[in-house]
Amino acid sequence: MRVGILDIIVLPSTSLMDRVYHVMLSKQFASIVPQVISVWCRQLGHETFYATHYGAGDAFRLLPDDLDVVFFGCCSLASPLAYALAKFYRRAGTTTVIGGPHAEAFPVDCLRFFDLVIGDCDKSFIADIIDGKFERGQYISAAQPFEECPTVEERMPEIKAAAFFQKRWSILLTMVPMLTSRGCPYTCDFCRDWDNSYRLLSMERLAADIRYVSRFYPNLVLGFNDPNFGIQFERVFQVLESIPPESRVRYGMECSLSILNESRLKRLQDTKCILSIHGIESWQDYSTKAGVKNQSGIEKVDRVVEQLKQVSEYIPYIQVGLIFGLDSDRGDEPITLSKRFIEKTPFAWPVFNIPMPFGGTPMFDQYFENDRILKAMPLAFYSFPYLAFTLKNYDPITYFEKLIELSQCVSSPEMLKKRIQSTPNWRIKIFHWLRTQGEKAHEKKYHEILTQLKTDSNFLAFHEGKSETLPDFYRHQLKVMLGRYAELISPEELHPCLEQKAPRIVGSPVGVA
């Protein structure tokens, strides 16, 4: 069989700078599961074609036309492009399959365009799909997620195709996607992993992967895709520390501040951790994850500041995630506290996220039950900088004014100066400058939406939940976002189906050797 696997990372570039950003950075964020499926298909004896779409090039030329089966993976932002390509392949008689975050959040919507929607998978499950053992029009899942994935050596053709320049040469930040675990120990109501129990994967496989990379590709960066890295700290670090210091490979990871102390930070430094990402989320909620249980408000801000100052002594680059617009946010306090935090941590890049009520989460269920979801909003707008639900404590105009206030603080000349002074590393200085320019672009988008809210009564009514008619602004934005592919998806097709559905569980758990 001829099998294709396409990982759609972002929508097509809309400007030269957009293209440069995607070529340099976005292509490094290829997902690990599509690579795993590609390796399995090759091991099963099929002629296999793997590609990623990172905003550049013609998406229709990434895979051959005459495929028997094609697997897609994407986030909700990129879903319209996946839908357009699925229509193209279905017309040619190809079986179309989609999995990944968007598929699990909105499976019924996906079934309008794909023959099969899948949740968890393992090797035998993928083999059954290719062999045509499932009726089309179903949302199906393996009994359990895979517990072992192919080695880095086995995935190297996919890694080169995704992250290398011309599939041959690595660049400064070429990343190898890695996993040490599946699931998450926390139950954040906005997260799709809220009910996905934490499981550590094979440490023997991890050791073999790191030894392989350190021997053959020592200049690459390992990117651990774990929702929360190092929860079983000792077991993971016994592996990392088993590599001789002179052979260790740089890596980046995301973890809870609650698992870090000074001795562990020293071990992160010694094993060449160069990037850490930490979810602070809110100054009122999710304090256990941030390691400041029972603290909130200014007390939480100051405690997190001290924690991050300690982290910065050991890890060169830090990013933190915060959400503004949760039901616990009200008045000026979230902005005041966030500004205090930004000014005290110039060494940590803050990412302020807009809440997204993805299907399959308690947040979605609550907002849907309370009729707060904007039901006409296409799923591509379940992404920055758009708002897909009605806020509890802010009107839309006030909310975007406050987002602009935050963005201006992040990208101010004073903050850029502090950030550059906070590090001796010239690469990080450049990165701070680049991200500051990116934040200014974010502010421009906020202003664009705010202008619509202030000048278009229909647009405001839509965001207040008083109208279910999609504003022309969003129809135009979709055309811009999709570019040459816009004509392949009609406005009617982009009206979302928000119905939720549990997958049909098939087979029994099968380990993959």
Side-chain angles (χ1 to χ4, degrees):
M1 301 282 276
R2 289 168 60 83
V3 181
I5 300 93
L6 182 58
D7 183 7
I8 304 177
I9 303 172
V10 293
L11 287 171
S13 303
T14 57
S15 67
L16 177 60
M17 284 303 298
D18 200 28
R19 181 183 176 88
V20 170
Y21 181 88
H22 290 326
V23 169
M24 295 298 294
L25 290 177
S26 295
K27 72 177 298 181
Q28 299 302 326
F29 300 127
S31 300
I32 192 169
V33 175
Q35 295 182 0
V36 167
I37 292 174
S38 180
V39 174
W40 286 342
C41 292
R42 195 163 61 246
Q43 291 173 342
L44 290 165
H46 300 294
E47 190 176 3
T48 305
F49 305 88
Y50 165 88
T52 63
H53 178 74
Y54 49 87
D58 186 347
F60 283 97
R61 295 187 177 183
L62 293 172
L63 296 175
D65 298 341
D66 55 342
L67 296 171
D68 297 298
V69 181
V70 59
F71 292 89
F72 290 86
C74 70
C75 60
S76 292
L77 167 65
S79 60
L81 180 56
Y83 291 175
L85 291 168
K87 290 176 66 177
F88 169 79
Y89 280 105
R90 288 179 87 175
R91 283 197 297 265
T94 302
T95 299
T96 56
V97 185
I98 187 170
H102 177 69
E104 293 186 22
F106 301 106
V108 179
D109 193 76
C110 290
L111 283 172
R112 298 184 296 144
F113 300 93
F114 295 88
D115 297 311
L116 291 171
V117 178
I118 62 174
D120 293 326
C121 66
D122 56 34
K123 189 175 182 179
S124 64
F125 180 77
I126 296 299
D128 287 345
I129 290 175
I130 297 172
D131 291 342
K133 294 185 178 180
F134 303 114
E135 284 188 25
R136 299 185 182 192
Q138 296 188 81
Y139 177 30
I140 56 178
S141 177
Q144 286 187 355
F146 63 85
E147 296 295 333
E148 295 291 350
C149 66
T151 64
V152 169
E153 183 175 7
E154 291 169 325
R155 287 192 289 121
M156 191 48 67
E158 284 74 20
I159 293 168
K160 286 184 176 181
F164 282 47
F165 181 70
Q166 295 292 315
K167 303 182 182 181
R168 297 174 62 187
W169 300 288
S170 62
I171 57 176
L172 181 64
L173 289 175
T174 298
M175 297 188 72
V176 177
M178 302 279 288
L179 276 178
T180 67
S181 63
R182 304 293 304 276
C184 183
Y186 301 102
T187 56
C188 302
D189 60 354
F190 58 82
C191 180
R192 286 184 291 261
D193 274 321
W194 72 278
D195 62 346
N196 190 0
S197 59
Y198 177 86
R199 303 172 306 285
L200 194 66
L201 300 182
S202 167
M203 292 295 96
E204 292 77 15
R205 184 64 57 90
L206 174 63
D209 282 345
I210 296 177
R211 285 195 297 268
Y212 173 80
V213 175
S214 67
R215 180 179 178 185
F216 295 104
Y217 300 95
N219 294 323
L220 302 188
V221 178
L222 304 177
F224 287 100
N225 289 1
D226 305 44
N228 227 286
F229 177 80
I231 291 297
Q232 293 196 24
F233 196 92
E234 290 303 321
R235 292 185 64 186
V236 172
F237 274 78
Q238 283 176 10
V239 173
L240 296 179
E241 292 166 342
S242 70
I243 307 299
E246 66 277 8
S247 300
R248 290 173 183 169
V249 181
R250 297 170 299 161
Y251 67 93
M253 59 82 191
E254 178 175 0
C255 79
S256 166
L257 285 174
S258 64
I259 72 165
L260 298 180
N261 54 40
E262 190 162 11
S263 65
R264 288 182 169 182
L265 287 168
K266 181 66 168 62
R267 294 170 74 179
L268 284 165
Q269 181 186 55
D270 290 344
T271 53
K272 287 196 174 180
C273 179
I274 61 169
L275 163 67
S276 65
I277 301 174
H278 309 285
I280 309 302
E281 319 306 3
S282 166
W283 299 124
Q284 300 298 332
D285 293 332
Y286 313 109
S287 293
T288 300
K289 183 177 179 181
V292 287
K293 188 176 182 180
N294 299 324
Q295 293 181 330
S296 62
I298 194 167
E299 186 180 17
K300 179 176 179 179
V301 173
D302 291 344
R303 175 73 182 276
V304 170
V305 167
E306 292 307 309
Q307 286 179 298
L308 290 176
K309 283 181 179 178
Q310 187 177 56
V311 174
S312 70
E313 294 175 9
Y314 296 92
I315 299 175
Y317 193 82
I318 302 169
Q319 176 177 302
V320 296
L322 288 144
I323 305 173
F324 172 55
L326 297 165
D327 285 358
S328 57
D329 292 329
R330 56 178 56 85
D332 291 331
E333 184 183 37
I335 307 304
T336 301
L337 294 176
S338 293
K339 284 183 173 181
R340 179 184 179 92
F341 172 75
I342 292 167
E343 290 165 358
K344 288 179 173 290
T345 57
F347 48 83
W349 186 269
V351 175
F352 287 94
N353 296 296
I354 296 173
M356 292 296 160
F358 289 108
T361 65
M363 176 181 281
F364 176 91
D365 294 341
Q366 178 191 342
Y367 289 2
F368 192 85
E369 182 181 351
N370 296 331
D371 199 28
R372 292 175 59 188
I373 303 286
L374 302 181
K375 296 182 176 65
M377 182 69 92
L379 300 178
F381 295 113
Y382 279 60
S383 60
F384 166 87
Y386 306 106
L387 193 60
F389 68 101
T390 57
L391 297 153
K392 181 178 181 179
N393 297 315
Y394 299 98
D395 64 84
I397 290 176
T398 301
Y399 179 70
F400 277 94
E401 287 176 339
K402 292 188 179 301
L403 278 175
I404 289 170
E405 190 176 345
L406 278 175
S407 185
Q408 288 174 337
C409 179
V410 172
S411 63
S412 69
E414 294 78 15
M415 280 309 305
L416 176 58
K417 183 178 179 180
K418 288 183 179 180
R419 295 189 201 286
I420 289 175
Q421 292 174 342
S422 71
T423 176
N425 188 312
W426 65 268
R427 292 182 179 89
I428 295 178
K429 291 178 188 287
I430 293 174
F431 205 50
H432 280 317
W433 183 87
L434 288 172
R435 296 199 74 171
T436 298
Q437 308 316 305
E439 187 61 40
K440 290 179 180 178
H442 294 173
E443 183 189 337
K444 184 178 179 181
K445 291 179 181 291
Y446 295 146
H447 275 292
E448 187 177 14
I449 294 172
L450 181 60
T451 298
Q452 291 294 316
L453 289 168
K454 288 183 173 180
T455 60
D456 185 335
S457 59
N458 294 326
F459 189 89
L460 178 60
F462 178 75
H463 276 285
E464 290 176 332
K466 298 176 181 178
S467 169
E468 293 191 4
T469 301
L470 184 69
D472 290 338
F473 172 83
Y474 288 116
R475 298 182 189 278
H476 174 71
Q477 286 296 109
L478 277 171
K479 289 182 179 180
V480 173
M481 290 161 64
L482 280 169
R484 72 178 91 171
Y485 310 102
E487 62 186 27
L488 301 173
I489 298 288
S490 69
E492 293 74 25
E493 288 176 315
L494 288 174
H495 189 285
C497 178
L498 299 176
E499 179 186 346
Q500 295 292 290
K501 181 178 183 178
R504 181 172 73 86
I505 306 300
V506 297
S508 58
V510 177
V512 178

